[in-house]
Amino acid sequence: MKILAVANRKGGVAKSATCIGLAHAAIQKGLRVLLVDLDAQRNFSNSFLPTGAHEGEASSSLMLFADGAHIVPEVLQPGVAIIRAVEELSQLVTPKDPQDLKRPARYLSQFKNDFDVCIIDTPGVLGVNPPMTISGLIAADVVVCPFTVGLFESDAVSDLWQYLGTVKRKFNPKLRLMGLLPSKINTSSREERMALEAVREKHGKHILPLILGERSAVKQAIAARKPVWKGIRGAGHKVAAQEWLTATNYILNDLGGF
């Protein structure tokens, strides 16, 4: 099982949308997929309706931080399962023993032969308090970081990459930094296009050769709990579908040749 974490230091940069798109793409490819929501906002969880399978016994992602837990993912369909977030995640604090940050990684390793891909959504915070993001990064093989133009004032890109490098060096040597994903870009705005080009010029080696535009079709697809490339209507929707298919296929192929 290849584990992909989607992370950034702020909310509103399409982390959950990226996880949702990747989940739909992986399922469409026939992969066995485990979804893990570590964000107390639960956007990733709410995008996949419960089926009633394992009702009353399915584990929440809060249990990934508990000692001696028995983790039971909720089955959505054959080969697809989810470990949902709960609001109580927001109450987690830095563990006294730094080794406890690795507890979710140990639990998820139990499923390494049951799934092909695990996708982890994280909250818009870094550091160890709360510990969800760093624990997700410790569990991951690969991290992708969506960003919006305007987020990267000053040395924010370098700071983010330095933080990920620190996690790699101190906690998870196998973590691979796939790259930063331009997201929610207003492609009709000359200013945003120029700002994105400036980011690419300065941090080119970190920026993925992809772009996800700010498009109403994406919001509508997420609200309908379906891939944006299904039921295409209109030119704008077609552009959004192509952007997301290109991005999700690129990331899954880079993740494990899927």
Side-chain angles (χ1 to χ4, degrees):
M1 179 175 71
K2 294 290 187 180
I3 302 179
L4 172 70
V6 178
N8 205 309
R9 68 195 320 148
K10 291 187 178 180
V13 296
K15 291 191 304 296
S16 295
T18 300
C19 289
I20 293 164
L22 286 167
H24 285 306
I27 293 168
Q28 182 171 290
K29 287 177 178 289
L31 299 175
R32 300 172 300 163
V33 187
L34 177 62
L35 314 177
V36 178
D37 192 354
L38 296 181
D39 188 351
Q41 291 188 7
R42 294 167 287 173
N43 293 333
F44 194 24
S45 298
N46 292 334
S47 296
F48 297 89
L49 289 174
T51 65
H54 295 299
E55 185 173 357
E57 63 181 57
S59 303
S60 74
S61 60
L62 184 65
M63 297 304 295
L64 294 174
F65 296 87
D67 186 25
H70 175 59
I71 306 300
V72 179
E74 175 188 339
V75 177
L76 298 176
Q77 64 185 63
V80 181
I82 187 170
I83 301 176
R84 297 182 184 274
V86 289
E87 187 176 353
E88 288 79 8
L89 276 170
S90 62
Q91 300 172 16
L92 285 177
V93 296
T94 307
K96 294 181 180 179
D97 185 349
Q99 290 301 311
D100 288 345
L101 294 170
K102 300 181 180 181
R103 189 172 284 152
R106 292 194 290 269
Y107 282 129
L108 292 178
S109 69
Q110 299 172 8
F111 305 105
K112 63 183 180 181
N113 295 321
D114 300 324
F115 299 95
D116 302 306
V117 177
C118 174
I119 301 168
I120 301 177
D121 193 13
T122 63
V125 292
L126 300 181
V128 297
N129 192 17
M132 292 87 78
T133 297
I134 190 168
S135 288
L137 292 171
I138 290 170
D141 299 298
V142 176
V143 57
V144 169
C145 304
F147 74 93
T148 56
V149 171
L151 175 62
F152 292 97
E153 295 88 1
S154 184
D155 297 322
V157 169
S158 300
D159 291 345
L160 174 61
W161 225 242
Q162 183 178 7
Y163 173 79
L164 295 173
T166 299
V167 173
K168 178 180 176 71
R169 186 170 61 255
K170 291 187 175 181
F171 295 99
N172 183 7
K174 68 180 174 62
L175 181 65
R176 179 164 63 89
L177 317 180
M178 185 184 293
L180 296 139
L181 175 62
S183 302
K184 300 178 71 173
I185 307 298
N186 182 356
T187 55
S188 64
S189 166
R190 180 173 179 271
E191 289 77 13
E192 288 206 15
R193 293 198 307 272
M194 291 178 63
L196 177 56
E197 286 307 308
V199 172
R200 288 194 187 278
E201 288 179 11
K202 185 175 181 181
H203 304 284
K205 65 180 181 178
H206 300 321
I207 312 299
L208 294 175
L210 303 164
I211 186 170
L212 296 175
E214 177 70 65
R215 307 198 188 278
S216 59
V218 177
K219 297 178 182 178
Q220 293 166 5
I222 291 174
R225 297 186 174 91
K226 67 178 185 179
V228 68
W229 52 84
K230 296 291 187 181
I232 296 174
R233 296 182 179 180
H237 193 167
K238 185 176 181 180
V239 172
Q242 187 58 55
E243 287 177 347
W244 279 85
L245 276 172
T246 299
T248 53
N249 285 331
Y250 178 99
I251 292 169
L252 289 172
N253 183 66
D254 193 313
L255 175 64
F258 301 120

